[in-house]
Amino acid sequence: MKQIRAILKREFTSYFKSPIGWILVAIFFFVSSLFFSLNFISSYSDIASELTFVQSLFFVLIPIITMKSFAEERKSGTEVLLFTSPASTLEIVLGKYLGAFCLFLLMSSTILLHVIFTAAFGGVINAVTWGTYLAFILSGAAYIAIGIYISSLTENQIIAAIVSVLIFIGFTLLSSIASLIGSLVTNLLQYLDVLKLISSTADTAAGTAVTNAINWINPATRLSDFNKGIFGVTPIIFLLSYIVLFLFLTVQYHDKRRWAQR
Amino acid sequence: MTDDKANLIPDQADVMSKDSKDAAEQAEIQQDSADRNTKAQGEPVSQPQADAPKAKPPIGSKKAKPLSAKKAARNKKRASKALVDRRNRKMGRYSTLSILLIIAVLLAVNILLESVVGDAWSWDITSNKLMTLGDVSIQLLDGLDQDVSITYLGTEDTLASSSTYSFMPDFLKEYAEKSNGKVAVSYVDPVTQPSIYTDLDANDVYNLTSGEFVVKSSETGRIKVVTTSELVTQEMDSSTYSYQITGYSAESAISGAINYVTLSTVPKIYFTSGHSEATLSDSYQYFENLLQNNGFETADLDLITSDSVPEDASAVIMLAPKTDLTELEAGKLTDYVEQGGNFMFAAGDFSTTAFTNVNKVLEDFNLSVSNDRAIETDQSRIYAQNNTYIIATSPSSDITASTYADNSPILILDAYYIQKLQNPVDWITVTNLIETSDQGARQQGGDENSVSASGVQTLALMSENTGFENGTTVTTSSRAIALGSASLFSDQVISVVQNSWYNYQLTYNMINWLTNNDASGNDLLISDKDVASYYLTNATNTAPLQMIAFFCSVVIPLILIISAIVVYRRRQHL
């Protein structure tokens, strides 16, 4: 725990010892405030919509947060120092993850200022607002875990960022791809079923099942319920699973590198 | 990199001991690493070439090592490398296995949770419970005895990503989940599966198009098409000239469609034409939806060209006519009501037109549409400072008994005074339906200067005649309603009063009573769900709002950017 805290502190402060942390927070706050202000001056404020809008910045901001975490260490050669330290691989990964996550939390907390102003002027701050806020933070946490894993695979920060961006965009497109694959399955079944042994309803059901299965693994789809006003425990568990999985993959990858001989 | 490996040696040994490797193996690894370190410091690295022919030592060279020693060293290196490879492979296998294991565990946990708790651990947190079915719908689903399919002609993704209708997939899921398997929801994209049109509507009666919901009963084969425009109620915002959602009517539309397709017989209401009547789609869309959602079919009736009122008519409604019936038409209507038919006259805006022949039909019910305009003199009972815009009430009656809260307001505009004829007989029961306060009055003949004395004025009456005889036998009863103004359920009024006033509920009750639908058990009045308003209620002055907007979008980001520049410059001078 002590090691995690030390690494977390080092990671978090490193963002603000360079301009990157300040700029990230500035961009985030500027974009969210722009959305907020344009409505606010018309006596209107919907924080849930604002959060949904700002979530589109994840594609750019989260890769920038995570790209340096392992890639930079590897490039500068400080990775060896880190892995020969008394900290275990898990502690190192957790420390770095939490460092990035704390920066994200700091960014997200700036929206609380909008919440306060909205409440002060009699705007609606209800369960949907807080549900969307939770979904926003959880999805950020999951995306950071993915970004950290990608960063550990390469020593080039730019490549890490680009791959992360592509993956995050992939999540967005996955639901469309899922529909396409589902339709392909339906059409394929209908094409192969020359003797008409299967009803068209069953063909459609099979296609729908494939679509649902692909959508099921897509964090972007799973979170949409929160934005609509449905608070579910299963999407939260699902996102936590994503975080666990990608942190585990990162630990495994570094363990393998740490102990492997050539 | 060589140094790295040297650094790793103690850890490797540690791991080896953990893995219960013997000391000899550890020594070999250390020796191997040491050998490689030595090579890295100057000795050329050469790979052992097992297949190369053995070369003889050159003449004059120093005495070569004995062949067996070289071979032994090579074998030792090979063994060491093989050991390392084995360890790497083993670690790789362990890593892959553990990754697969954690994926399996996480998948199992998630699938288990989804299947065991599913939606039980999810809650509709919207303020208007947008995705939750109300009691009326649940009661309808509980009573379903046939399979119903709801097919959206499009992809679920399209619907879910729509800004207005994104709630629909979850909402439809509620129907599937709460119907004990009777309702099946599916999404079929006609682009990829064009056969869906003929699958659902073989004769192309409904002219189905993409983006519609098709509700179909397997037993009756009846179809009801619900368009997306029926899922919400919208109004034009006069300031922006854009449509704004004023309510969500998805539940009444879908439940109404289920109710309609599962009905054994569908009541049909005929609307008279030929007297400049208002049309439902013109300014009575709320009323039209109310009828549709409650399983009524509607049709036009031209009494001049028709020999008589069709037998399948549950009721005939004359909606806001501008002219009177002809005698011939009145005769046909009288024949109809005397054989058990039901009739409603809903007057339009007040005019001086006399409805003499309409009154001949209503005479059988002791009702009469007067030539007087009703007004209200109690200033607290008028709307928009207009004494013809009356905030009326409904006295207790069969219609209002269970649903009317005392003094629930009813807004009615520019209404005729409806008169009860003084012909008291046992078989005609007339009941006041809508009335003014005791400070109501009548403008006689519509003349503002000729106002009657104050008193309760009736704006709508309902009547039941149980005395129609066929020869000598009383055959059946007939019902009639005379409504002083159809504004009771006009779009103009309903859009203002919404569900909070009694207009909508009263209209629903009136229609059910008129068509004897109250006995069928198909009570299905589902109010629209309100739209959450995100407007600031305490913002009386825009100046502080503008200051806050400036502070948030300019001042704070600027401070952060200046901080970034300061940090950057400091780093440059390090």
Side-chain angles (χ1 to χ4, degrees):
Chain A
M1 198 63 200
K2 207 169 152 187
Q3 278 91 343
I4 295 175
R5 209 178 307 138
I7 296 167
L8 187 161
K9 196 176 163 189
R10 174 178 164 270
E11 280 295 308
F12 183 70
T13 51
S14 73
Y15 286 113
F16 294 96
K17 283 178 182 163
S18 72
I20 191 81
W22 299 99
I23 291 173
L24 281 173
V25 179
I27 291 172
F28 181 87
F29 194 65
F30 173 70
V31 175
S32 63
S33 292
L34 209 60
F35 184 94
F36 170 77
S37 301
L38 287 173
N39 288 318
F40 200 67
I41 53 175
S42 310
S43 302
Y44 183 90
S45 178
D46 180 2
I47 300 292
S49 296
E50 182 186 330
L51 285 163
T52 311
F53 170 75
V54 176
Q55 214 161 332
S56 56
L57 287 180
F58 278 10
F59 302 119
V60 181
L61 293 187
I62 289 181
I64 294 173
I65 293 173
T66 58
M67 68 181 187
K68 75 176 202 57
S69 53
F70 280 107
E72 190 186 42
E73 302 269 14
R74 212 158 142 184
K75 179 95 185 260
S76 61
T78 51
E79 185 191 39
V80 177
L81 291 173
L82 198 62
F83 284 110
T84 50
S85 71
S88 69
T89 315
L90 178 66
E91 286 170 334
I92 295 166
V93 171
L94 276 179
K96 280 188 167 290
Y97 172 75
L98 290 174
F101 181 62
C102 282
L103 174 65
F104 173 73
L105 268 187
L106 180 75
M107 280 161 53
S108 310
S109 65
T110 57
I111 289 181
L112 283 175
L113 203 60
H114 300 159
V115 173
I116 292 166
F117 287 133
T118 303
F121 283 89
V124 174
I125 302 295
N126 54 16
V128 179
T129 312
W130 297 118
T132 314
Y133 217 138
L134 180 69
F136 179 82
I137 290 168
L138 275 174
S139 61
Y143 282 26
I144 287 171
I146 297 167
I148 292 273
Y149 174 65
I150 303 299
S151 170
S152 68
L153 298 179
T154 175
E155 62 177 34
N156 189 324
Q157 292 186 41
I158 304 298
I159 291 175
I162 290 171
V163 173
S164 300
V165 168
L166 290 176
I167 289 175
F168 297 160
I169 291 173
F171 281 143
T172 315
L173 298 177
L174 196 59
S175 50
S176 304
I177 295 167
S179 303
L180 201 67
I181 294 172
S183 302
L184 278 175
V185 169
T186 305
N187 289 340
L188 191 69
L189 284 173
Q190 285 176 345
Y191 176 74
L192 294 175
D193 186 22
V194 183
L195 298 174
K196 299 290 173 202
L197 296 173
I198 309 169
S199 69
S200 63
T201 318
D203 292 337
T204 310
T208 310
V210 171
T211 306
N212 289 344
I214 298 171
N215 278 333
W216 192 81
I217 59 165
N218 186 358
T221 315
R222 297 295 294 273
L223 270 176
S224 57
D225 278 359
F226 280 88
N227 303 342
K228 285 185 278 183
I230 297 177
F231 183 89
V233 174
T234 46
I236 294 175
I237 303 286
F238 178 81
L239 282 177
L240 292 176
S241 304
Y242 246 86
I243 296 168
V244 170
L245 175 66
F246 278 94
L247 290 184
F248 185 79
L249 287 175
T250 313
V251 170
Q252 283 299 309
Y253 180 78
H254 283 293
D255 263 345
K256 209 174 158 189
R257 275 176 55 79
R258 191 175 191 177
W259 304 120
Q261 295 178 17
R262 293 174 189 87
Chain B
M1 189 53 76
T2 316
D3 292 337
D4 293 354
K5 283 174 184 164
N7 287 335
L8 290 173
I9 291 166
D11 292 331
Q12 289 167 352
D14 188 33
V15 168
M16 295 290 281
S17 63
K18 280 177 188 168
D19 289 346
S20 307
K21 289 288 173 187
D22 60 42
E25 279 183 349
Q26 289 181 29
E28 275 183 9
I29 294 164
Q30 288 191 353
Q31 181 60 49
D32 180 51
S33 299
D35 287 348
R36 277 189 283 162
N37 284 341
T38 316
K39 278 174 196 166
Q41 283 161 13
E43 277 189 26
V45 179
S46 64
Q47 291 294 323
Q49 297 175 2
D51 300 333
K54 290 173 186 174
K56 285 183 180 177
I59 298 164
S61 66
K62 284 183 182 175
K63 193 181 176 183
K65 278 185 180 176
L67 198 64
S68 57
K70 279 187 178 176
K71 203 173 176 180
R74 266 205 303 272
N75 287 343
K76 194 178 171 184
K77 277 180 195 168
R78 269 189 215 146
S80 172
K81 190 172 183 302
L83 177 70
V84 168
D85 287 346
R86 268 205 309 278
R87 283 204 58 232
N88 282 348
R89 277 201 298 274
K90 193 177 174 186
M91 280 183 66
R93 278 199 300 272
Y94 166 76
S95 176
T96 311
L97 266 175
S98 57
I99 289 168
L100 289 175
L101 189 71
I102 196 134
I103 290 174
V105 168
L106 292 174
L107 267 177
V109 167
N110 278 279
I111 292 171
L112 205 70
L113 265 176
E114 292 256 341
S115 54
V116 175
V117 295
D119 289 333
W121 284 7
S122 70
W123 299 271
D124 180 358
I125 54 173
T126 53
S127 53
N128 52 4
K129 297 288 170 218
L130 188 58
M131 281 153 286
T132 306
L133 288 179
D135 293 341
V136 176
S137 296
I138 288 173
Q139 206 177 338
L140 172 78
L141 296 177
D142 283 344
L144 271 187
D145 56 357
Q146 51 191 287
D147 290 334
V148 174
S149 66
I150 303 174
T151 310
Y152 176 67
L153 298 174
T155 63
E156 184 174 357
D157 185 44
T158 315
L159 198 59
S161 57
S162 151
S163 59
T164 310
Y165 311 110
S166 60
F167 65 95
M168 278 307 287
D170 292 295
F171 184 60
L172 291 178
K173 210 191 286 176
E174 280 268 295
Y175 280 96
E177 285 170 0
K178 293 185 174 162
S179 64
N180 299 318
K182 294 288 181 191
V183 175
V185 178
S186 61
Y187 298 84
V188 183
D189 187 359
V191 176
T192 55
Q193 202 180 325
S195 61
I196 189 67
Y197 289 133
T198 45
D199 289 347
L200 290 170
D201 180 21
N203 299 322
D204 196 22
V205 175
Y206 296 93
N207 191 23
L208 300 175
T209 52
S210 174
E212 290 177 332
F213 297 86
V214 183
V215 183
K216 187 175 183 180
S217 161
S218 60
E219 194 171 302
T220 63
R222 205 176 294 131
I223 283 180
K224 173 80 178 164
V225 180
V226 178
T227 60
T228 47
S229 63
E230 293 172 56
L231 305 177
V232 291
T233 46
Q234 300 185 72
E235 264 183 48
M236 172 83 86
D237 185 336
S238 55
S239 59
T240 60
Y241 295 103
S242 61
Y243 279 96
Q244 302 290 326
I245 295 172
T246 55
Y248 290 95
S249 50
E251 187 178 353
S252 58
I254 299 292
S255 294
I258 293 173
N259 183 42
Y260 170 75
V261 299
T262 53
L263 282 175
S264 50
T265 53
V266 180
K268 198 166 184 177
I269 295 176
Y270 283 88
F271 285 82
T272 58
S273 61
H275 315 92
S276 304
E277 287 96 336
T279 52
L280 288 174
S281 56
D282 186 19
S283 47
Y284 292 87
Q285 285 184 15
Y286 284 100
F287 184 48
E288 186 178 28
N289 289 339
L290 180 77
L291 294 176
Q292 284 181 357
N293 295 340
N294 285 282
F296 289 102
E297 271 186 14
T298 57
D300 285 341
L301 173 65
D302 187 343
L303 284 167
I304 293 175
T305 54
S306 305
D307 292 335
S308 60
V309 175
E311 284 182 5
D312 62 348
S314 296
V316 173
I317 295 178
M318 204 169 177
L319 181 63
K322 289 196 169 72
T323 58
D324 192 13
L325 292 168
T326 62
E327 272 193 45
L328 183 70
E329 290 172 315
K332 288 175 186 173
L333 264 180
T334 304
D335 288 346
Y336 166 68
V337 295
E338 289 184 354
Q339 289 165 27
N342 305 309
F343 175 60
M344 180 163 99
F345 174 82
D349 291 342
F350 180 85
S351 71
T352 51
T353 307
F355 290 99
T356 316
N357 290 322
V358 169
N359 282 336
K360 282 181 183 169
V361 182
L362 292 174
E363 212 173 67
D364 276 338
F365 298 92
N366 273 352
L367 305 176
S368 175
V369 181
S370 75
N371 293 325
D372 299 345
R373 171 192 266 155
I375 57 167
E376 176 65 66
T377 58
D378 180 350
Q379 292 303 303
S380 66
R381 307 291 300 181
I382 64 170
Y383 186 81
Q385 305 296 313
N386 187 333
N387 65 359
T388 64
Y389 289 7
I390 302 167
I391 299 173
T393 53
S394 184
S396 179
S397 67
D398 287 350
I399 286 184
T400 59
S402 60
T403 54
Y404 186 65
D406 284 344
N407 298 319
S408 282
I410 299 164
L411 181 60
I412 196 156
L413 317 177
D414 211 12
Y416 284 82
Y417 162 65
I418 303 295
Q419 193 178 358
K420 181 181 175 182
L421 297 179
Q422 298 305 314
N423 178 28
V425 285
D426 290 343
W427 56 90
I428 299 175
T429 313
V430 180
T431 312
N432 286 13
L433 204 53
I434 304 172
E435 59 190 24
T436 65
S437 74
D438 56 7
Q439 292 180 49
R442 297 192 302 276
Q443 292 176 349
Q444 287 159 346
D447 184 357
E448 290 180 10
N449 300 318
S450 175
V451 178
S452 69
S454 292
V456 175
Q457 309 298 326
T458 46
L459 308 177
L461 290 169
M462 56 188 256
S463 172
E464 184 165 14
N465 187 328
T466 56
F468 288 120
E469 293 179 5
N470 179 12
T472 55
T473 313
V474 173
T475 53
T476 185
S477 69
S478 295
R479 292 175 171 184
I481 291 175
L483 177 62
S485 170
S487 64
L488 174 75
F489 46 78
S490 70
D491 291 350
Q492 185 193 359
V493 167
I494 298 289
S495 62
V496 171
V497 301
Q498 294 292 333
N499 300 313
S500 53
W501 293 41
Y502 195 57
N503 291 52
Y504 198 67
Q505 176 79 50
L506 179 61
T507 307
Y508 167 78
N509 291 356
M510 278 164 48
I511 294 299
N512 273 344
W513 179 82
L514 185 72
T515 57
N516 297 299
N517 203 35
D518 48 341
S520 68
N522 290 319
D523 282 354
L524 201 73
L525 182 70
I526 300 167
S527 304
D528 288 0
K529 290 174 178 174
D530 296 333
V531 177
S533 171
Y534 289 96
Y535 282 97
L536 307 172
T537 51
N538 298 341
T540 46
N541 189 355
T542 55
L545 302 181
Q546 286 169 347
M547 272 179 62
I548 288 168
F550 182 74
F551 177 71
C552 286
S553 53
V554 178
V555 177
I556 295 181
L558 210 61
I559 291 170
L560 290 166
I561 292 292
I562 290 167
S563 305
I565 294 167
V566 169
V567 169
Y568 179 71
R569 288 180 69 87
R570 270 191 197 160
R571 279 174 68 92
Q572 269 194 327
H573 292 106
L574 279 178

